[in-house]
Structures are given as C-alpha cells and as structure tokens.
C-alpha cells in the first residue's frame, strides 16, 4: 500500500476502499446481532395457546439472546445492537459520528429483517401484532417515558461498567444480558419493554403500526444520554481533552471497543484475518 | 497543593475539600446503587393483576438488580448498598467509622428516592403498600429475626468471599446477586425478605408504615455481625494488629475496596479521572 | 518409540496403536457428553402428571446439562456432542475428516445409550414417546427446517465465539449452555427443538419412530454450515492457506481444540497422564 | 516450635495440637457449608399453601445455595459439603482417609444442625416431613438407586472438572451449582433428589424417619465412585505413583484443594492468618 503517492486520486480511492472494508465487518456484526436479538427476543413474546409465555420466560429469553449476540459480535463491533447504546458511546467519545450513524442504520435494517423472518416462520393465527411495544392502558405516556428512561439508564451504565478496560477484561456478554433481563422484568408491565428503539422499530415496520412509537425512541435515548453523563463525567471520568473528543467525533482518531479505552492516533489498518479483531476507525 | 503551610487555616480547608471530593464519588455510587436496588427490586413485588409475580420471579429480579448495581459501582465504593454490609466491613476493619456512617446515610436517601420514583410511575390501583416488609401471620417475631439473621449471614459471608483479593480477582457482581436471590427464595415466605435495612426503610418512609420495622434492622445487622466475626476471625483471619484496626476505624489509614485488602498508610489522593478507581480514605 | 525403523511393518502398527489411544479418549468424551445430554435433556421433557414441565424448565435443563457436559469434556475432545457442531468445525478447518466421522459415530452411540438409560429408569406410564422431536401441526415442514436452521446458526456462532482463543480463554461451558437454552425457548413450540441430530436420533431409535426425522438433520446441518461460513470467512477470518486446510482435512496436521487455534505440524504424542490435555491429531 | 526435642512427649502433643488447628478450620467450613446447604435447600421444598414451590424453583434454590456455600468455603476445605464428593476425592487420591472421615462427620453434624434450625423457624403446619427424601410410588428402588447414581455421577465429574488446576483457575462455585440444579430438575420426580447422603441424613434424624434411607447412601456413593474412576483414570489420568497414593491415603503427604493438584511432601504448617488459605495435611 505504501507505494501509492499520498494525496493523489489513487490514494483517495485506496483510503475509501480501506475504510469501507474496516467498517463493513462491524456493520455486518451490528446487523447480525440486532437481527438475532429481534428474532429470538420478540419470538419469545408470541402467545402460543398451549404455553402462554410468563414475564420471567420472556425476560430470560431476552437475557440469553443478548448474551449470545454480545459474545458473538463484541470483538467485531462492540456489540451495541441498540441505537440508545450507540448514542451513549457517541456522547462518551467512544465512537465517531459517521460510524454511529452507520451503526444505527445497520441496527434498524437488522431489526427489520429479524422481524420479517419471525413473521415468516410464525403460524398465521399466532403472529397477532408481532409483539410491538404499546403503552398499557392504566399507564400514562409520561410514566411510560419515565420507565423506559430508567430501564435504559441501568442498561447503559451496565454496558459501560462491563466494557470499561479500567474495570474488567473478560467478555461483557453475561452482565449485559443480566441488565436487559432486569429491564424486561419491570418494563413488560408498562410498555412490553423496549429499552431499544431498533427492537420497537423492526416489528412496527413489518406490522405497519406506529402508535406512540416515539415513546420508544425518546425514553431510551434520554436514559442513555443520562447514563453516559453519569458514567463518563461523575462515576469514572476519563482524561480525554476537548480536542481529543472532537477528533474522535469526526473520526480522525481511533478508539478501542469499550468504554475507558484511551484514544490513539489513526493506526495502519490491522491485517484482515490476522486474528487482530481491533475496531478500525472511520 | 504542597505550597500550602501544613497546620494553618488554609491547610485545614484544603484537606476538607480534598476529603469531600474523595468520598462524594463513593457516596453518589452508594446512593445510585441502593436507589436502583429498591426501584427494580421492590418494583418486582408489585401485584399486576394480569401477571402476579411468582416467588422465583421476585428472587431473580433481586438477583439481577444486585448484579447490575454491584457491577456499576464496586470500583467506586465497594457497592455495599446495604447498611448491614457496611456494618460487616466496619467490624472487619475494612472501612472507617466516618465513611461507614456516610455510606448508611447515602443508602437510606437512595432507597427513599428509589421508592419515591417507583411510587411515581406505578398506576394507583397497583401500588398498594409499595412492597413494605411485614412478618407473616403464622410466623413469630422471634422466628422472623432468626430468619433475617440467617439470610444476611450467608449474604455477608458471600460478599466477603467474593471481594477478598486473597481468594478472587474478578467482579463480585454475579456471586453477590446469587446470594441475594437465595435469601429471597426462602425469606419471602417469612417477611417478604429484607436482608437490607435500607430496602425496608425506603418504602416504609414513602408509605408511612413502620409496623415491626425494627425486625428488619435487628435481624440483618445481627447476621452481618456474626458473619463478619466468622469470616474475619475464624475462616480467613487476616493479620491486622489492634493498632492498625484503630487507625482504620478512625480513618487515618486507607484500605482497598474488598475484604482481605492490606492496610496502607494514607496515600496522596489519586488524581480524579486518571482512571484510577481506588477508594480514597476518610 | 524412536528405536523402531520408520516405514517398516512394526512402525505402521505402532502408529495405528498410538493414533487409537490419542482419539479413544476424545471419542469416549463425545460418547459421555452426548449420553448425559440426552438423558438429562430429554428427561426434562417427560410429562409427570403432578408437575408438567414448563417451556422455561425444559430450556433451563438443556442449558445446565450443556454447561456441565462441556465443562467436563471440552479439554478432552472440544465437547461437540452434536454432529452439526462437528460439521461446522470441519468446514472451518478445525478438525480432520476421519476424526469428524469418528466423533459423529460416538455421538450417535452416546445419544442412543442415554435414551436407553432414560427409557429404563422412567415409569412405564410416563415414558410416552420419550420426547422425540416432531413438527407441530400448524407449522409447515419448510418453517420447521427454517427454524431449526436459525436455532443452530446462533448456537454454532456462539460455540465458535466461546472457544476462539483469539477472543476468550476461559471455559466455554456457561455461554454454550446459554445458547442451547435460547434455542429451546423458541424452538420447543415449533419442533420440540432439536438443534442437534444426535438428540433427535437417540430417542427415535429407542422408540422406533422416524417421522420427518430428516428435518432434524437438514435444518441443523444447514444452520451449522451457514454459521461456519459467516464466522470463519466474514466475522473473524483466520489466515489458513488452502494447503493447510487440506492437510487438516486429511489429518496430517494438528489443530487445538477451539476455533481460531493455529495449525501446527504433527507433534510427538503428548505423554498420557502428563496432565497435558491437548487434542492429538488423527 | 523448632526448639522442642523431636520424638519426645512434648513433641507429640505439639504435633497433635498443630494438626488439630490445621484441620479444625476445614472441618468448620464443611460444617458451615453443609448446614447452609440443608437449611436453604430443604427450606425451598417447604409447601407454603399460598406459594407451592415449582420443580424449577427448588432446583434453582439448590443451585444458588451450592454456589454460595462453595464460594465461601472452597479455599478453606475444598467445599465438599457431601460425603459422596469426599469419597470421590479419596478414591482419586486427593484427600487422606483420616481427613475424609473427619469431613463426613462434620458434614453430617452440619446437616443435622441445618435441619434443626429449619425445623425451629418453620411454622408448625408447614413443616410436615421436613422434605425428607422418599422414593416415588411408581418408581422401583432399583430405578431410584440408578437415578441417584447417574445424578451424582454428573455432579462429581463436574466437581472434578471445575476444581482441576490443569483445566481451570477461577472459583468452581457457579459450575458446581449448575450441576446440583441439573440433578434436581430430573431427580425431584424420582426421589425428591438427594445426590448427597448428608442432605438426606439431616432431616431424617430430626424427623426420625429412615424409610429406604439406604438408597440415598448407596446411589450417590456408587455414582461418586464411578465418576472418580472415569475422571481420574480415563478422561484426565494424573501421574501419581502407587507409593504416592498410599502416602496421601495415610496423610503423610499433602495435596492442594482441587483435583489435578500435585502431591507435595509435608510442608511446615502455613502461618495462621497469613492469608495463605492452603489446605494443611493430616
């Protein structure tokens, strides 16, 4: 690669191709993780007459699919699988804006494909509304947003605490699964529990029903924002300067997958297949 | 900082400000952890007519919220979130008396705010008594205290064994969650299961009902005391001298977060944000 | 061993005996793991009148037996206990063809013995069809194959991610158990959930009933194939050359137990009992 | 200590006192672990009218109490808490005969105290037969012994695999808990599930009922014996010579807590309280 003259037309297209290869693997991982999350998670909500799912069963299914999806993809993309988590990483200067936008797009496409697959394999009489999130009658929209905010607050705090290289080294899969299940054990009663705009978006697109859909964006994103501020500026503040934060935001500086990873100048792209599974920057 | 004349008025206020900054992060962590514990734990006890919670569901929710709260705050404060645990650490010379008193205050405020939030989001007809702990009719107060003592005994033994740097290195979140769930699987039948005076205090303040509230302080604190003596003086005695224990009690000597950590002379306060998440002494 | 003239008749029989000893321990481990998997997993499906098993109870039992079987045998054989997993390792160049065939044979024998033991200890009126997999009436065979494909896709992705030395070092037992339980929480409604041709084969042989048995080979094997391609060629491609892949396929080159392990030239057989629990090549 | 004349009367009483201090901590740990195991495990079987325990709830409680008891005591005694496990360690040359006998005695006393405490705190109308193990009507004694054998076989294999320093380093608590829960998910239907003669002995002594009590010694001990032979001589044979095995049997040579630990000549007793939590030999 070094033989190409920096700054020339060839150099620009080489850089673009390099960037695309670096991020396409991470986007595929986000697509795959969110698709599996919606297929299995929303699949557990289906009301089979001979075995109606209990709140505990649904919550444990979301626990297990989260742990599996994180275990498979965290080294490839950081395993956000959730626009609220991606927003939190953006606010905490752990991901660039272009990459964040691309992540959310991949998550929404993955959620839609997962919901479509579920629609395809489910017997007609059991599909009903494909488990879309709705607000319970005796619960006001304000209470629904407040609950979704609190559920996502604990989720994002747990994601940061489980991927922060200053605190832990192993796979965050089990802990993040625990936090998703915790949210469902309370949230199901109020809104069927979103904590994840993509989880709400996928089924809504397939069924074509967006009643109070905004609640499942506003609540989770506000919770993620609050959690990111608490974690990154109160509980475990890191030492990034404003200049570094801006460089990360625009993508000129690379960050490791998890919270707490230091910001390093743009590295040569790691050889594909070398086993090195570091996130490349874009 | 070193330019100030030791012993003068300026030096005293500088020390006070330095101490406050060191402990305020830990107190916020205790407030946050206990608030989340009460909101989600007591939230799982709510009796939604269409889905009455089983004993197993409540116990698993307490398991998950404990694991999440410990994972998020153990590096900031040791994640006690429970006056009984703080007492056990005090008796085992792992925390100073001023810090212990401040911890308990933060835990009680956190529990009250958590219960208030729960009261706010719950539909009126489902709030009932906000899951306050009461003694079952067929159970005597003596049996209730004995059960709360045994439940907290196993919890505190498990907290020590999971945070003792001589035994383990990873996050204690999963194990402490397991122990809290274990207590609930038995204790719910007797007292709704406290094991944590703050958990009982929060809802009682919001609802204004303190019937036999003393049981949920006496039982857990006696169990914590017994466990601390068993662990620190029988099972895994450490080598602290009496002089060291007194220095720790008054706060002139620092200890690491977990049981088994050696006592070191007062260190310069670690730079905030340096990622160093050691507990400062007070 | 070195005194024998290479290439002579003595040398050939010595090599055969050495190979047999190396693989017999691994085959016994596959036999044991699959037998325990079928005895306990299918045992949880039995319909005791006083305590009909819930979907959650069956799924958690499959979770626990998988974790136990993997914990006991992963250092001896890699703990496949599933022809679909063995196919995935074969496609990913992590096992030779002879060894794969021998593994599948040991798994099928183990599954049959496990089912026979279960048949033996179960009271007559409760055995019924010994939990064989069948397709639900309202589900088409196409939907059944699609569901079994998706269930096994996530299982194999999780097996690779949990045994890939580039990603993790500890025991894969807990994560693989989580993935098996996840599959059952959705799959039970469609086909009683196979994800493992050996699990379907054992009870079918004992009961003598093979209705749509092919679904429980085609679905899982297609899912395993797709997962192996995704993991080994898209998400985390490794650097094996075509020559190396052919050498591994024929057994002339050794690989470590998990995905991501590098291919090393044939090593002297590790001393039995030396505690070295590396997989020998065949 | 070294000033005393070896071989004289003083020397003998010094040795006896030293041995007693070394083993008393381990015996107290076995007493504590088994007592907690019976109190919480058998406590979960109690039939509270308003909340009859499901099979899943009982199994999960045994899971959690096992994990907690192992986490607290494995560094002090190896956390057997079960005569069958102690027999397996004896057969595998991981413990001396005198220490094994002392362990079993401490386990039986602990189980009796745990059952007595449970009897004390339980309301009279709910105690019934204090959860003693009995064989189900439709199950023959032969089937009951076979089932108890298979349940304990998988338990002991899992205990070895989770404490074998050649395979793993972390706490075995979670995995051993998983294996105990697995046994209960199947065994409860047949015998209420023992897998542990001490668990059956404690309640039987308090209630004074020993119907077919022998099943809960013969089944588990045979399963433990078979598992020890499989693990230590087939799956992961170690390199101990016959002479070493005899020296370990009689107690003249020390072994680490877990399976797979090498045998070392008798070391000076580690200083109490030095945090060194190695098992001393007797």
């Amino acid at each position: 690669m070094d033989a190409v003259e920096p700054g020339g037309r060839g150099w620009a297209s080489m850089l673009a191709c390099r960037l695309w290869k670096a991020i396409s693997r991470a986007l595929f991982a986000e697509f795959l993780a969110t698709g599996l999350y919606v297929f299995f998670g929303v699949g557990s909500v289906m009301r089979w007459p001979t075995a109606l799912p209990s709140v505990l069963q649904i919550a444990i299914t979301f626990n297990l699919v989260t742990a599996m999806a994180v275990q498979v993809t965290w080294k490839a993309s950081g395993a956000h699988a959730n626009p609220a988590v991606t927003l939190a990483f953006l606010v905490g200067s752990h991901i660039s804006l272009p990459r964040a936008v691309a992540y959310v797009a991949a998550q929404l496409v993955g959620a839609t494909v997962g919901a479509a697959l579920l629609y395809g394999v489910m017997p007609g009489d059991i599909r009903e509304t494909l488990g879309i999130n709705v607000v319970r009658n005796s619960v006001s929209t304000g209470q629904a947003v407040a609950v979704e905010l609190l559920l996502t607050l604990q989720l994002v705090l747990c994601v940061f605490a489980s991927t922060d290289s200053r605190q832990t080294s192993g796979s965050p899969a089990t802990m993040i699964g625990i936090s998703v299940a915790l949210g469902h054990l309370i949230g199901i009663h109020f809104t069927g529990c979103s904590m994840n705009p993509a989880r709400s978006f996928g089924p809504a697109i397939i069924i074509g029903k967006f009643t109070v859909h905004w609640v499942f964006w506003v609540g989770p994103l506000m919770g993620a924002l609050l959690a990111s501020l608490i974690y990154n500026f109160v509980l475990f503040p890191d030492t990034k300067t404003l200049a570094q934060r801006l460089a990360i935001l625009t993508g000129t500086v690379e960050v490791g997958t998890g919270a707490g990873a230091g910001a390093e100048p743009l590295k040569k792209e790691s050889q594909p297949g070398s086993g090195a599974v570091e996130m490349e920057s874009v």
Side-chain angles (χ1 to χ4, degrees), chain A:
Chain A
M1 274 182 212
D2 302 346
V4 178
E5 182 55 37
R9 257 170 52 83
W11 195 81
S13 67
M14 181 279 297
L15 190 69
C17 148
R18 225 197 62 196
L19 283 188
W20 170 247
K21 229 180 70 180
I23 194 165
S24 60
R25 202 159 63 94
L27 293 184
F28 175 74
E30 288 296 307
F31 164 84
L32 182 67
T34 320
L36 290 170
Y37 181 79
V38 170
F39 179 83
F40 283 93
V42 178
S44 73
V45 178
M46 297 298 106
R47 302 175 61 79
W48 299 85
T50 51
L52 291 180
S54 67
V55 168
L56 185 58
Q57 184 178 324
I58 296 169
I60 287 184
T61 309
F62 271 97
N63 179 345
L64 303 185
V65 64
T66 302
M68 178 276 295
V70 170
Q71 179 79 0
V72 172
T73 61
W74 73 294
K75 285 276 187 178
S77 69
H80 296 188
N82 182 341
V85 170
T86 300
L87 172 67
F89 273 77
L90 184 67
V91 168
S93 303
H94 300 300
I95 190 173
S96 70
L97 184 59
R99 181 177 277 260
V101 171
Y103 266 36
V104 172
Q107 291 157 4
L108 296 181
V109 172
T112 306
V113 169
L117 276 173
L118 183 63
Y119 190 91
V121 298
M122 285 301 298
D125 58 337
I126 300 183
R127 276 185 208 129
E128 292 177 3
T129 56
L130 212 61
I132 58 167
N133 291 112
V134 289
V135 176
R136 189 191 188 97
N137 295 340
S138 59
V139 171
S140 70
T141 354
Q143 286 173 323
V145 170
V147 167
E148 286 288 339
L149 186 154
L150 286 167
L151 305 186
T152 316
L153 170 74
Q154 61 89 19
L155 169 61
V156 170
L157 285 173
C158 196
V159 168
F160 277 129
S162 309
T163 56
D164 186 340
S165 49
R166 295 169 300 175
Q167 295 216 28
T168 170
S169 59
S171 157
T174 322
M175 277 313 301
I176 299 178
I178 279 177
S179 177
V180 168
L182 175 63
H184 281 82
L185 284 166
I186 301 300
I188 284 176
H189 300 292
F190 291 88
T191 62
C193 187
S194 170
M195 295 168 68
N196 181 340
R199 176 261 182 263
S200 306
F201 180 81
I205 283 265
I206 300 298
I207 294 290
K209 235 176 138 192
F210 284 85
T211 13
V212 289
H213 186 66
W214 62 271
V215 168
F216 309 113
W217 284 82
V218 171
L221 294 182
M222 280 169 63
L225 190 63
L226 183 58
S228 195
L229 297 176
I230 289 177
Y231 191 87
N232 293 299
F233 299 95
V234 176
L235 275 182
F236 302 108
D238 61 23
T239 56
K240 293 191 189 91
T241 62
L242 188 63
Q244 277 177 321
R245 290 182 189 282
L246 285 175
I248 292 167
L249 191 69
T250 55
T252 41
V253 155
E254 180 198 341
V255 269
T257 352
E264 290 115 52
L266 196 61
K267 281 194 299 183
K268 254 175 71 104
E269 194 210 349
S270 52
Q271 273 55 35
S274 70
V277 292
E278 239 67 68
M279 283 247 300
E280 291 81 5
S281 103
V282 65

